[in-house]
């Protein structure tokens, strides 16, 4: 199971980097979203996918799940949501002000 999630994380990161290198602003934002989702799966995989009791210690329970990777992923999801919303607002404002979302036209070269 861990190898499947590790491969899926790699695919998400690869498509995220590919979208980051595109010319349209929306594709760049989608690339950052895919890259952050790949990082979430990577953190989950590195925390070892264990099954067991909830992380509440009681007498007689020896096998319980580790809550640290889940807490890290939850924090990372909140941060990536904030960054995504900021990037969407900046991309929307840039597209409205300049009437384009093409990065080649947004460079500001004076030859045109």
């Amino acid at each position: 199971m861990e190898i499947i999630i590790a491969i899926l994380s790699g695919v998400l990161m690869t498509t995220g980097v590919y979208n980051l290198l595109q010319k349209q602003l929306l594709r760049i934002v989608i690339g950052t979203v895919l890259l952050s989702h790949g990082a979430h799966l990577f953190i989950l995989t590195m925390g070892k996918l264990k099954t067991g009791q909830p992380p509440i210690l009681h007498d007689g329970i020896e096998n319980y799940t580790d809550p640290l990777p889940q807490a890290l992923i939850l924090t990372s999801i909140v941060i990536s949501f904030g960054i995504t919303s900021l990037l969407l607002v900046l991309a929307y404002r840039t597209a409205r002000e300049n009437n384009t979302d093409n990065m080649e036209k947004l460079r500001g070269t004076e030859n045109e």
Side-chain angles (χ1 to χ4, degrees):
M1 183 68 169
E2 288 178 354
I3 192 75
I4 294 172
I5 294 181
I7 291 171
L8 180 63
S9 172
V11 168
L12 282 173
M13 287 189 175
T14 303
T15 55
V17 169
Y18 176 76
N19 279 328
L20 279 174
L21 298 174
Q22 297 299 313
K23 294 180 182 177
Q24 290 84 17
L25 284 174
L26 187 60
R27 286 187 185 226
I28 294 171
V29 172
I30 290 172
T32 59
V33 169
L34 290 175
L35 197 62
S36 68
H37 286 322
H40 297 157
L41 285 178
F42 182 72
I43 292 171
L44 182 68
T45 305
M46 290 299 108
K48 301 214 191 253
L49 301 173
K50 296 192 306 188
T51 58
Q53 297 293 326
I56 301 171
L57 298 177
H58 289 289
D59 293 333
I61 296 177
E62 296 176 7
N63 188 17
Y64 64 93
T65 58
D66 187 16
L68 185 63
Q70 297 169 6
L72 287 174
I73 291 170
L74 184 61
T75 305
S76 178
I77 287 172
V78 170
I79 292 170
S80 66
F81 177 73
I83 290 173
T84 302
S85 61
L86 175 71
L87 286 176
L88 282 173
V89 167
L90 288 176
Y92 176 73
R93 179 68 189 252
T94 303
R96 292 265 315 207
E97 291 288 324
N98 298 311
N99 295 326
T100 185
D101 68 338
N102 192 343
M103 291 301 291
E104 292 293 325
K105 294 179 181 177
L106 291 173
R107 285 187 191 259
T109 57
E110 297 181 22
N111 295 339
E112 296 177 11

